[in-house]
Every structure is written in C-alpha cells, then in structure tokens.
Amino acid sequence: MIEGIIQIGNSMLSGGGDMISNLVKDVPSKNRKEKQMHVLKFCFNTQKDEFKLDAREEIDSSTALKYAFIGSADGPASPQWFATSSSYLYHITETLSNLTKVDLGEELNKKLKAIFENYYVDLGDEFKPKNRYILNYKKYGVGEEDVLETLDKVEGEETERDEKQRYKNITSSLKKAYSREFENYVKTEFDIKKDEIGLYTILIDGTPLSDFKEYRQAILKSKQGNKSSKKIKGFCSMCGSSENLTSDLSMMKIKYYTTNQIIFASELKSYNKNMLLCGNCLNKLISGENYIKNKLNTRLVGFTVYLIPHFIVGSPMNKKDLDKVSDNIQHSFNTVKNITGVDDFKNEIQMNSEDTYFLINIMFYKKSNQATKIQKLIKDVNPSVFQEIMDNSYTVTKLGRKIMGMNYKLNIDLQTFYFMTPIRLKNSEPMNYRKLLQMYDAILTQRSLKLDEFIKGVISCTKIEFFDEEGYNVNGKSGIYNTILKANFCIKFLEYMGCVEEGEKMDISNLKIKDDLKVYILNMGYDEQQSAMFLLGCLIGEIGNAQYKRMGEDRKPILNKLNFGGVDRNKVIRLTNEVFNKLIQEKIRKYNEVTFSECKRLMDANKDSWKLNKHENLFYILSGYSYDTTKAMLNKGGK
C-alpha cells in the first residue's frame, strides 16, 4: 500500500508545483447547511499595538492554498504553530507561544516575540504550556471579560483537592469561558456563526504569516523528519537510494504501522532496519497521503474509508491523469455503496484505460485525535468488481420484480449488508463491526462467506426489531418481513458474486402448491428442507394476516410462538402442530390444507437427514412468513 501512496505522490510532484501546494488540505466553501464559509483573520499590528478580527473574506477553491492550510502539526502531542488552522482555540492559546520557538529569521522572530509578550496573558507555570497563555481579549476590545479576573473566579469556584485534577478542571472551565466570549463577539460583530467559518489565519502588519518565505521554509523543514547528527546507513525501502535517509515517519498522516513502541523496533533500539525512506520518497509519501485525504476519502454508512490505488502496469503521469482515475474510483465506489436507479449507471463506468492497470486498497479507518486506527484493510481489490456489483444488483432487482411483482421495490448495495448485520452503536459509532467488514472484504475480493453466519446475523437483527432493542444499527420500523425477504435476495446477490455456493435445488414439478410459491422456491434455489420451512412460514403468514384482520392494531399473536433464539427440530414439530390448530381456529384451514400437506410431506421425507440448524430453520420459516405478508400487502396497494 505504501508503494501506491508514493506512486500518487510522484504524480503530484511531477507537475512541477512546489511542495507546499501538495500539502494543502481542501476546505469546503459551504457548510452542511449550504451557508457560505469565511476566513477569520487574527490581525496584529505591531506598529500601532492594535489587534482586530476580520471575517469579510469568503472561502473559495483557492483559499486553502493562498493561506497554506496544511492542517495541524504532526503527532498527537506536537506543539501547534501553523499560522492557518481550522480551530480558533490554537491561535487564542498556543500558536504564538510556539511560533517564538521556530526559526523564522531575526526580523520575523522579533515581531512574533513582541506580539506574544504584548498581546497574551501568562496564567502561570501551574498550567500546561498549551494552556498557559491566553489572548488578552479585553485589552483590545474583543471582549468584556478580563482573563485574570475570570481565572480568579474559576479558581475560587473549584473545589477539587487533587492538584493535578484541580488545574485540569480550571483549564476546562477557562476554555468554556473564553470560547463563549470569542464566539459571541464574532457573531455580534460580523453576524457570522461558528459553523460559517472554515479557516482562522494570522496576519502581521497586514501581511498573512503564510506569505513569508521563512515561514514556508519552516513548514517544509518540519515535514522532513527529525534528522539526527549521525548519518543513517542503509538503503531507501522504496527506491534503494542511500542518500538523505530517515526512519522518522512521525509526520505521516495515515499511520498504518507502529512507529512509537520500542517492542517493535529492530533489536529494541531503533526502526532504522525496519523502514527507511530517502528525502525524495518521503516527500512523495507525504504528498500522496495528502492527496488521498483530499480526493480519495469517502464514507460507507458508519465508516470512513480511504480508496488507495496501486498501479501495477503504467501509472498516471501528472495530476490531471491522477484526478481522472480518482474521480472514477470515487464515483464507482459511491455508486455501489448506495445504488438507486442502477439502470442509469449500468454502462457508465469504464475503470481502466488501455495504458494502465491498477488495484485498489480499501482502508476502513477511524480518526482519534492525530492517530489513525485501521479497522480493516481490504487489499488488492480489482476495480472491475464495482461493475460486477452493479450488474449483479441489477440482476437481483429484476429477480425481485419477477417474483414479487413490479410494485416490489428492491435495491441491493453495500449499505444493505450493514443493516443485515447487528452492530452495537456508541455515540453513533459502530463498535462490534468485525463481521461486517469481513463480509465487505469477501464481496469486494469475491471470496467465500459462511452462509450460516450471515443467516445467524440476520436472525439477530429480526430479534432486535421484534423486541425493539435499542443501541443497535437496526431500524425496527421497517418490519421483520422486510428484513427477512431482503436477506433472501442478499443471498442470491452473494451467490452471483461467487461468495456463496448455490445449494441443491429441489424438483418442484411434484409440488401441489400455488404457482407463485413454486416460482419463489425455484428462483431462490431452495432444497426440500428449506422449502418445508418456507411453506410452514407461509402458513404462519396466513394465520398472521387473519389475526390482523380480526384483531387489528398490528397484532399477530402467532409470532409469539417463534423463538428468535432459533427453532430446533423438536420445536419445529411442536410449531407445526400449533400452526395446524391455528388454521382451524382462524377458520382458514380449507384454504391452506394443500400447502400444509406438502409442508408435512417434505418434513417427513427428510426427518432422518435433517441438516438445517436452529437458526436456519427459523430463517426459512420467517422467509415464508415474510413472503406471504409482503404479497398480501402488495395486493392491497401496500396497506
């Protein structure tokens, strides 16, 4: 994967642009509410000892490059000193303090030191360096609260005895106070809310700090790693060069291997033998990572995803070619993750050109401060699989219309499988997601899946829906009949993708049941045992429909006879007897005698060779219930 990132970086740098332009992060010009975003400028005038804010400039496609916005400093505990940020808190507290420690030339350093000493208040050495200094609001008319007076008030209200925790609490209270003061001033002065500001940058005597060549050189130097005085001997892990080597990769933004735990170091001393990069390859790596974050970053339901191409034959020669490939990858992935109107897309995407061939590494990740936690890396995905997913989704949609009628709406895409796998959510974040990502791996690489594991997951989803359990990704409003019926079509999709082997179909010519049931069993490829459970489920559906008509209020007591933990063979026998009695009780036996007879015949014929487990029994019973319920609803206009 690292080779693919460096290939991207090579294409970015081959265009002749400077390194800074390849570090710049994209900034949206409008927020989620489609409101125009702005740049808020911290304007320091050293000659007149003045400070003011300016929020008149609107963000456009060139703003990020103009102010050299490259995100935050590398590493979770690194001092933040970049002059352009997406957070105003840095500039209110630590940016100026840290800038005085960066070599920016005598003249610029002198101005920065004067600003820091004249415009900021020292809270004392009890506070951590990043929280020790605060911009003096009141002195320059930005707010009415005096920083030291606010500190005295907060300290007086804090009752925590533990010294460390005490100052942690005081820091938190102070942040809330000066954040509130700052945001209220900006809203009152400029009529702009916090979510309408995309960047915060520093100006000195009317000139953006990002315009100074000394500042830009300092940025580039910070991206070269910490070079020790001792020259590292060895060869670059990518190109084989022995010049300008470094093992310090702390500036990497997509951290996919350990660089800070001594137990993984060579001979417990250093990483020099594990991974070395020369200066050129390091620049390419950093540029490639930044491009991926800007152009190949997407989402799939509750997950964030990087799409990283690795060119096997040929490579994009410049940024224009790379952008074309990236747009195709993004479009293809975003289409198959949420297919709506797949007919419009079916022949639209042509992934490969005649001169290049590439595979895609799909990284599911979670950002935690500066760290990148890799949840799953799906390696070497052939781009043609996107077209195959679309084709098979289209085929399953046609199958759904054939079996259920033209009014049945069905789309199978990558997001569908998210709702077929029970996942606990904590603050809307998926927790136990391993099985789902393994399923995505199998689909995208067309490897085998265990069908019984998929069925077990679907049954868990129906249990969550039926009992209205909270804290999961499952939407109980859709109804278990929707979930189970769609799961059957998901299995057909998995068969078409080569992830699940097609089972042994039964001969339906001797079945004495309605033609629509025969069509369903034939197209789903059920064997005799699956068909027996399906017919038993259809009878439960008929009983449920009769109970609904008689009792109303969505009441179907027959469903209480089902154990959502699974139905073993003995319970199947008891359930069959109860179903027969309910057919009599609801006065619908005469309409369903043939179906019951065929169900019983298939069960008796397979009683000594029964292979379905308790979850599969329940799944195919619920499949029959779902089919019968959905058919009844479609025949009544969806009511």
Side-chain angles (χ1 to χ4, degrees):
M1 184 175 66
I2 191 171
E3 185 178 350
I5 298 175
I6 288 177
Q7 286 176 337
I8 292 172
N10 184 58
S11 297
M12 295 295 295
L13 294 174
S14 64
D18 66 343
M19 184 64 185
I20 290 287
S21 64
N22 290 311
L23 297 175
V24 169
K25 295 181 64 176
D26 286 347
V27 179
S29 59
K30 293 186 178 180
N31 63 15
R32 293 180 180 179
K33 299 177 182 178
E34 291 300 309
K35 295 280 188 178
Q36 177 64 48
M37 299 289 277
H38 299 78
V39 180
L40 183 62
K41 301 172 183 176
F42 286 65
C43 304
F44 296 96
N45 190 320
T46 59
Q47 298 172 352
K48 298 181 180 180
D49 189 26
E50 290 180 350
F51 170 75
K52 64 179 181 178
L53 298 173
D54 181 358
R56 291 172 295 176
E57 184 174 346
E58 296 181 348
I59 290 178
D60 58 29
S61 59
S62 63
T63 304
L65 179 60
K66 176 181 177 182
Y67 293 111
F69 174 57
I70 61 172
S72 56
D74 303 314
S78 299
Q80 303 298 320
W81 59 272
F82 295 150
T84 304
S85 174
S86 57
S87 170
Y88 65 84
L89 290 174
Y90 288 145
H91 296 345
I92 290 174
T93 56
E94 61 178 306
T95 302
L96 265 296
S97 170
N98 293 325
L99 275 170
T100 61
K101 303 168 187 174
V102 179
D103 184 11
L104 299 176
E106 183 178 351
E107 183 179 351
L108 189 54
N109 278 131
K110 185 177 180 181
K111 287 186 176 183
L112 289 169
K113 186 176 181 180
I115 291 172
F116 173 61
E117 291 176 349
N118 295 333
Y119 293 74
Y120 284 78
V121 178
D122 186 352
L123 301 181
D125 55 13
E126 298 90 350
F127 293 87
K128 292 182 178 181
K130 66 177 183 179
N131 301 315
R132 179 172 176 172
Y133 306 99
I134 298 179
L135 182 66
N136 195 341
Y137 287 174
K138 189 174 182 180
K139 179 179 178 181
Y140 298 99
V142 173
E144 297 179 357
E145 293 187 22
D146 182 88
V147 174
L148 294 178
E149 289 178 1
T150 304
L151 175 61
D152 289 339
K153 180 181 178 182
V154 170
E155 285 183 325
E157 295 174 349
E158 183 55 50
T159 59
E160 175 64 48
R161 294 184 179 182
D162 181 75
E163 194 72 6
K164 185 177 180 181
Q165 186 61 43
R166 170 180 167 79
Y167 278 97
K168 187 175 181 181
N169 294 346
I170 291 173
T171 299
S172 178
S173 299
L174 271 176
K175 280 186 177 180
K176 290 178 182 178
Y178 59 66
S179 294
R180 180 178 62 250
E181 182 85 357
F182 183 83
E183 290 174 19
N184 288 341
Y185 178 84
V186 171
K187 185 177 180 180
T188 303
E189 188 74 13
F190 305 108
D191 193 26
I192 293 176
K193 297 179 181 178
K194 178 185 175 182
D195 64 357
E196 295 173 23
I197 301 174
L199 289 179
Y200 302 86
T201 194
I202 294 173
L203 276 69
I204 298 176
D205 296 335
T207 303
L209 188 55
S210 56
D211 281 1
F212 289 88
K213 66 177 182 179
E214 295 88 350
Y215 171 77
R216 289 180 169 251
Q217 288 171 352
I219 290 179
L220 292 177
K221 185 178 180 181
S222 72
K223 295 295 181 180
Q224 300 304 312
N226 298 323
K227 294 182 174 61
S228 60
S229 57
K230 184 178 179 180
K231 184 177 180 181
I232 297 177
K233 295 182 180 180
F235 300 94
C236 175
S237 300
M238 290 293 108
C239 69
S241 172
S242 59
E243 299 296 325
N244 195 21
L245 298 175
T246 182
S247 61
D248 176 23
L249 302 181
S250 59
M251 72 294 300
M252 290 170 57
K253 292 295 185 182
I254 306 175
K255 296 180 174 64
Y256 37 84
Y257 70 95
T258 302
T259 59
N260 62 353
Q261 294 186 28
I262 196 66
I263 58 173
F264 291 99
S266 177
E267 298 179 358
L268 302 183
K269 295 179 180 179
S270 72
Y271 282 86
N272 291 357
K273 294 182 180 180
N274 294 14
M275 173 68 81
L276 291 176
L277 290 180
C278 66
N280 288 335
C281 287
L282 182 60
N283 286 341
K284 292 174 183 178
L285 176 65
I286 295 170
S287 298
E289 283 185 328
N290 195 60
Y291 183 88
I292 289 167
K293 289 167 68 70
N294 286 337
K295 292 281 290 181
L296 292 167
N297 191 15
T298 186
R299 292 189 64 84
L300 174 57
V301 278
F303 301 91
T304 46
V305 182
Y306 286 138
L307 305 171
I308 306 171
H310 179 199
F311 293 87
I312 308 300
V313 177
S315 63
M317 298 303 295
N318 52 48
K319 185 177 182 300
K320 183 179 179 181
D321 293 338
L322 183 61
D323 284 346
K324 185 177 180 181
V325 172
S326 300
D327 289 342
N328 278 336
I329 293 173
Q330 275 272 25
H331 179 63
S332 301
F333 185 83
N334 290 336
T335 299
V336 300
K337 79 179 183 184
N338 183 16
I339 296 174
T340 53
V342 71
D343 294 310
D344 298 333
F345 294 110
K346 189 171 184 297
N347 298 312
E348 183 177 336
I349 300 169
Q350 181 63 42
M351 290 300 303
N352 300 333
S353 70
E354 295 180 359
D355 300 325
T356 62
Y357 174 75
F358 59 89
L359 301 174
I360 303 172
N361 296 297
I362 301 178
M363 180 194 289
F364 291 81
Y365 73 95
K366 178 183 178 181
K367 294 295 289 183
S368 176
N369 296 324
Q370 295 292 321
T372 302
K373 179 182 179 182
I374 299 178
Q375 297 166 309
K376 181 72 174 177
L377 176 62
I378 304 177
K379 297 187 291 185
D380 300 334
V381 175
N382 193 320
S384 63
V385 76
F386 296 137
Q387 184 66 55
E388 193 163 348
I389 290 173
M390 290 173 59
D391 290 340
N392 290 330
S393 175
Y394 180 74
T395 302
V396 171
T397 299
K398 290 198 300 181
L399 179 64
R401 291 172 181 169
K402 175 184 176 182
I403 295 175
M404 305 301 298
M406 294 303 294
N407 290 331
Y408 181 62
K409 305 299 182 184
L410 175 69
N411 284 313
I412 302 295
D413 50 42
L414 293 181
Q415 289 190 159
T416 306
F417 290 91
Y418 173 80
F419 299 103
M420 296 289 161
T421 309
I423 296 176
R424 282 194 174 275
L425 301 178
K426 185 177 181 180
N427 298 325
S428 299
E429 289 285 336
M431 304 303 292
N432 54 328
Y433 48 77
R434 183 173 299 176
K435 288 184 178 179
L436 174 65
L437 298 188
Q438 287 174 346
M439 190 178 303
Y440 284 150
D441 191 333
I443 292 172
L444 292 166
T445 58
Q446 297 179 280
R447 289 203 287 263
S448 296
L449 270 172
K450 292 182 179 179
L451 180 58
D452 60 335
E453 285 293 322
F454 174 72
I455 287 175
K456 187 176 180 181
V458 173
I459 292 300
S460 296
C461 289
T462 58
K463 178 177 178 289
I464 292 167
E465 289 180 287
F466 190 75
F467 293 105
D468 291 325
E469 296 180 24
E470 296 182 351
Y472 289 89
N473 62 321
V474 180
N475 181 7
K477 295 181 180 179
S478 62
I480 62 175
Y481 59 91
N482 273 322
T483 299
I484 292 290
L485 190 57
K486 184 173 281 191
N488 274 272
F489 288 108
C490 283
I491 291 173
K492 296 305 295 181
F493 173 83
L494 293 173
E495 288 179 3
Y496 297 152
M497 291 297 299
C499 300
V500 172
E501 289 187 9
E502 191 172 356
E504 182 180 347
K505 298 180 181 180
M506 73 168 292
D507 181 6
I508 65 167
S509 60
N510 295 323
L511 274 178
K512 299 175 184 178
I513 55 177
K514 297 176 184 178
D515 288 341
D516 64 314
L517 297 179
K518 286 184 180 181
V519 169
Y520 183 90
I521 290 173
L522 176 65
N523 284 279
M524 286 298 170
Y526 286 172
D527 61 23
E528 289 191 355
Q529 295 177 22
Q530 293 165 345
S531 299
M533 295 296 94
F534 171 76
L535 293 177
L536 182 60
C538 288
L539 294 171
I540 292 174
E542 288 295 311
I543 295 168
N545 292 335
Q547 290 175 336
Y548 178 81
K549 290 177 184 177
R550 179 168 56 84
M551 306 171 72
E553 300 180 359
D554 291 338
R555 295 184 64 186
K556 294 183 179 182
I558 186 63
L559 293 179
N560 295 325
K561 300 293 183 181
L562 298 176
N563 183 344
F564 282 86
V567 180
D568 59 26
R569 287 181 59 187
N570 293 329
K571 290 179 182 177
V572 167
I573 294 172
R574 291 199 298 270
L575 180 62
T576 304
N577 294 330
E578 289 173 343
V579 165
F580 184 75
N581 292 331
K582 287 295 181 182
L583 290 173
I584 297 173
Q585 183 180 330
E586 296 296 336
K587 300 178 182 180
I588 57 174
R589 171 186 166 185
K590 63 181 179 179
Y591 306 114
N592 296 281
E593 278 185 327
V594 175
T595 303
F596 182 84
S597 175
E598 288 296 87
C599 169
K600 194 71 170 64
R601 179 178 67 82
L602 292 174
M603 288 174 61
D604 291 342
N606 288 272
K607 65 180 181 179
D608 295 328
S609 59
W610 201 263
K611 61 182 180 181
L612 299 181
N613 61 39
K614 64 179 184 178
H615 299 292
E616 292 169 328
N617 286 335
L618 179 58
F619 177 78
Y620 292 107
I621 290 171
L622 287 174
S623 296
Y625 165 77
S626 301
Y627 172 82
D628 197 85
T629 302
T630 305
K631 271 288 189 179
M633 295 178 69
L634 291 173
N635 290 338
K636 295 180 181 179
K639 298 181 181 178

